[in-house]
Amino acid sequence: MPQQTSPRPGLERNRVGVTDLLKGVIEMAPDLPSMARHAPGMVLRSPDMTKTIGSIFANLAAKHPDRPFVRFEGSTLTYGEANREVNRYAAVLAERGVGVGDVVAILAENSDTDLLVILAAVKLGAVAGMLNYNQHGAVIDHSMKLLDAKVLIRDPRCTAAWETMSPERHPEHVLDFAALAEAAADKPDVDPAVTATLPASTTAFYIFTSGTTGLPKASLMSHNRWLANYSGIGGLAVRLRPSDTLYVPLPMYHNNALSVSLGAVLAGGACIAIGRKFSASRFWDDVIANRATAFCYIGELCRYLLAQPAKPVDRAHAVRVIVGNGMRPEIWEEFAQRFGIDRIVEFYGASELNLAFVNAFNAKRTAGFCPLPYKVVEYDADGSPRRDADGRLRPVPKGEPGLLIAQISARVPLDGYTDDAETERKVIRDAFKPGDAYFNSGDLVRQQGFLHIAFVDRLGDTFRWKGENVATTEVEAAVAGDDAVGQAVVYGVEIHGCDGRAGMAAITVRAGAAIDGKALADRLYADLPAYALPLFLREVSEIEATTTFKNRKVELREEGFADTGDDRVWVLAGKTEGYVPFYPEYPAEVAAAKAPR
């Protein structure tokens, strides 16, 4: 039987009806002219058309050179100024041999320079390889190997990632921001000729996503698929106006920022305000300082904002619309009411997924709708689709949780990963009839009616925490590298009041050894990104290593940190204290963003 999941408050019976759609259509009325411009882009997109991110940006700069485009830490660049700088950067890259299909690796914190380098790469038809600056050592080496970049542009702030990268992984050309600016100073500022000729099928970005292999995979984002975000999410759902400013506190190596937010900004000819890093205590001050009327989010960001003490700035801003994913249904209305948000454009998608859902009609507690072909099917405990006696998949009844799969066709192609074998592992063939193909999202959703879904959970060997997919095998390798640990199994566990699942490791302790909570934490902080650190450790007498191993992992996940019998449980207090014995207040501290410290 399919794995059962406990229903969540406000989710299991929340449906989208005719009234929701009619109300949404009425609210859309003022934006209908701009929507009409973008609607054809959802139907008439072709991978052969010469329309790309670079050409859209260049055209906006030509038409509206004096309109503000990007704000960062008190400074503003207009479309015209930004385009000229982008073109100078593109000339620097081209001088170093970068052309169509080459990769420009970008290792940077959020900044206006980061964004301009990205635009410079895609204007040349090159691929912007978006490195996650939380990756260190062997992990970032693996990412660099996948990119096979011709040039690396690096932010001097990303020293930890850069200094742990093996020299043999450095490409021929490496420029930090200062060297890039110096090289660009005397370069021509005209648009590269190639920009106007590039087909939409050209690859624009490599976005790194966690995989079940334990090391990151680079998913491909073509200009054509980016244009679906641009038209569908940006033009038809977010619907920014030229006077709007969208604040982006999420890292630019995420699709939330790079595709959804940038797409929405360019679709409206609006301004993007970039925050270097998210801060719950300073968030609304930054929004007000940037004169933002919109922002992008992930679910945890909204949780952290709600956990802050009430302040006058909660309503002293001009934000009317937000776009993101992971807004939990139980906080949806509280968030909207406390902060005075008119529209919550929740969406569901993934870096590698060939479709997306978006809440265009401003319904409540929904990940939105999608007109493209998909199915919600029965699944097994390990997250794989369940086949019947005839070898076919079976849809689940409406309202029941099931595995989301997306049809692959000429109309809805799959960009996949840089590794063809990794792509093929996610493709389900002969699902309902011979010759068909579907992409396995790995996510559990519930259909709500009128092509709307609600996100329920992440399945398989990854789980989401802090808006990131965590690969359990990567964390298992790091935990098992401790001298005191014999074996380790990692899984995600729910914490009341938190989005996603926190990491928990069941470990065996070697004979004669004992866990040193501080030393183990020091090791994991050095080896793993912060979002991948397990918050809970459970000492167990043995870990099954049989063919039923995955079932045991499911049982451990269901037992969580509360149903552990006599097993000793540790929790991550923070960098200073490391792992300490479990105490009852810890889960609530995590939910309130007070732990780990």
Side-chain angles (χ1 to χ4, degrees):
M1 292 297 291
Q3 175 71 17
Q4 296 299 309
T5 298
S6 300
R8 292 176 179 173
L11 186 65
E12 70 280 10
R13 292 291 174 253
N14 186 57
R15 299 293 182 93
V16 174
V18 175
T19 303
D20 298 304
L21 301 187
L22 290 175
K23 182 181 177 184
V25 170
I26 293 170
E27 292 177 352
M28 289 176 183
D31 299 319
L32 287 177
S34 65
M35 293 176 70
R37 292 197 304 272
H38 288 285
M42 289 300 295
V43 181
L44 304 176
R45 278 186 305 112
S46 166
D48 298 322
M49 64 181 177
T50 53
K51 184 177 183 180
T52 61
I53 303 164
S55 66
I56 290 170
F57 175 66
N59 290 337
L60 281 168
K63 292 177 182 177
H64 310 288
D66 298 324
R67 186 182 289 175
F69 169 61
V70 58
R71 292 194 182 106
F72 178 67
E73 295 187 342
S75 65
T76 301
L77 290 175
T78 66
Y79 272 85
E81 291 168 337
N83 190 54
R84 290 190 289 274
E85 188 72 352
V86 166
N87 292 338
R88 286 189 284 266
Y89 288 171
V92 173
L93 297 175
E95 194 176 66
R96 284 152 180 78
V98 174
V100 176
D102 291 322
V103 177
V104 177
I106 302 172
L107 177 64
E109 290 186 358
N110 277 12
S111 69
D112 48 0
T113 302
D114 183 20
L115 177 58
L116 300 185
V117 171
I118 293 166
L119 290 171
V122 299
K123 269 197 166 192
L124 292 171
V127 185
M130 304 305 298
L131 290 164
N132 183 333
Y133 52 74
N134 291 297
Q135 295 178 356
H136 302 148
V139 179
I140 198 165
D141 279 353
H142 170 80
S143 296
M144 286 297 295
K145 181 179 180 181
L146 288 180
L147 291 183
D148 190 23
K150 184 161 285 187
V151 177
L152 169 64
I153 304 297
R154 68 178 188 90
D155 181 346
R157 286 177 173 265
C158 299
T159 53
W162 167 250
E163 290 176 355
T164 61
M165 187 189 299
S166 300
E168 56 266 27
R169 293 296 178 211
H170 297 172
E172 180 182 356
H173 303 285
V174 178
L175 297 171
D176 64 14
F177 282 180
L180 174 64
E182 182 180 355
D186 60 351
K187 294 296 183 289
D189 60 10
V190 295
D191 293 317
V194 71
T195 305
T197 69
L198 294 170
S201 59
T202 307
T203 302
F205 310 124
Y206 287 156
I207 308 290
F208 283 95
T209 178
S210 299
T212 56
T213 61
L215 288 170
K217 294 182 290 187
S219 65
L220 280 64
M221 171 67 75
S222 66
H223 288 266
N224 195 34
R225 191 151 69 91
W226 184 94
L227 288 168
N229 286 314
Y230 166 81
S231 297
I233 297 180
L236 300 180
V238 182
R239 309 193 295 271
L240 295 181
R241 299 157 191 165
S243 57
D244 280 320
T245 295
L246 188 148
Y247 178 63
V248 179
L250 304 177
M252 295 299 292
Y253 60 72
H254 265 195
N255 260 328
N256 289 48
L258 196 57
S259 296
V260 174
S261 299
L262 180 61
V265 165
L266 294 182
C271 179
I272 185 170
I274 299 174
R276 190 180 292 279
K277 289 185 177 180
F278 169 70
S279 166
S281 61
R282 298 194 310 272
F283 181 83
W284 293 113
D285 294 318
D286 289 346
V287 164
I288 293 167
N290 282 288
R291 305 188 293 283
T293 55
F295 66 80
C296 67
Y297 68 86
I298 57 173
E300 278 298 289
L301 181 153
C302 300
R303 284 279 188 194
Y304 289 156
L305 293 179
L306 280 175
Q308 290 290 301
K311 294 182 289 188
V313 290
D314 288 354
R315 284 265 187 157
H317 56 81
V319 172
R320 57 185 177 79
V321 58
I322 62 176
V323 57
N325 63 327
M327 178 75 78
R328 291 285 288 269
E330 62 267 29
I331 70 167
W332 189 293
E333 291 175 78
E334 179 188 0
F335 190 89
Q337 290 171 7
R338 173 173 167 180
F339 300 114
I341 307 299
D342 295 333
R343 288 197 296 123
I344 298 177
V345 184
E346 174 82 358
F347 73 88
Y348 165 84
S351 299
E352 64 272 37
L353 194 61
N354 57 334
L355 53 72
F357 291 76
V358 62
N359 185 24
F361 295 98
N362 198 24
K364 296 177 181 178
R365 300 180 297 277
T366 179
F369 90 109
C370 178
L372 300 175
Y374 68 90
K375 298 285 186 181
V376 182
V377 301
E378 293 182 357
Y379 62 98
D380 288 323
D382 63 356
S384 62
R386 185 170 185 251
R387 294 186 183 266
D388 62 17
D390 297 323
R392 304 301 185 206
L393 307 189
R394 296 191 299 190
V396 299
K398 188 174 293 184
E400 296 297 319
L403 178 66
L404 175 68
I405 60 174
Q407 188 173 10
I408 303 167
S409 65
R411 180 188 174 205
V412 193
L414 177 68
D415 289 342
Y417 305 104
T418 55
D419 186 330
D420 291 340
E422 290 289 349
T423 301
E424 187 60 29
R425 287 191 186 97
K426 300 296 290 287
V427 176
I428 306 165
R429 301 197 180 276
D430 305 320
F432 300 98
K433 61 183 181 181
D436 67 6
Y438 285 78
F439 185 80
N440 184 351
S441 73
D443 285 336
L444 187 67
V445 304
R446 184 179 281 107
Q447 297 191 82
Q448 298 174 294
F450 292 95
L451 302 179
H452 284 68
I453 65 165
F455 176 80
V456 177
D457 210 347
R458 182 78 182 162
L459 295 173
D461 287 332
T462 64
F463 59 91
R464 288 185 73 80
W465 183 245
K466 306 296 185 187
E468 301 273 0
N469 284 347
V470 180
T472 58
T473 47
E474 177 186 341
V475 183
E476 285 166 359
V479 175
D482 187 85
D483 292 339
V485 176
Q487 292 177 282
V489 170
V490 173
Y491 43 95
V493 295
E494 290 186 321
I495 299 177
H496 180 70
C498 290
D499 299 308
R501 292 177 179 266
M504 182 166 183
I507 60 174
T508 60
V509 180
R510 296 183 185 277
I515 296 296
D516 181 333
K518 179 65 168 62
L520 177 56
D522 288 346
R523 180 188 184 93
L524 297 184
Y525 270 108
D527 292 347
L528 295 171
Y531 59 80
L533 291 164
L535 301 194
F536 303 90
L537 300 177
R538 174 182 177 181
E539 293 186 24
V540 297
S541 57
E542 62 177 359
I543 294 175
E544 297 177 20
T546 66
T547 56
T548 61
F549 176 74
K550 287 187 177 180
N551 289 332
R552 176 57 182 154
K553 197 168 187 176
V554 170
E555 293 166 13
L556 288 167
R557 183 168 61 235
E558 291 174 346
E559 290 167 358
F561 51 81
D563 187 17
T564 55
D566 295 329
D567 292 345
R568 187 178 188 184
V569 177
W570 301 75
V571 295
L572 183 61
K575 280 190 174 182
T576 303
E577 297 175 71
Y579 287 97
V580 301
F582 178 90
Y583 54 97
E585 297 82 10
Y586 183 77
E589 291 178 1
V590 173
K594 296 179 179 178
R597 294 179 294 276

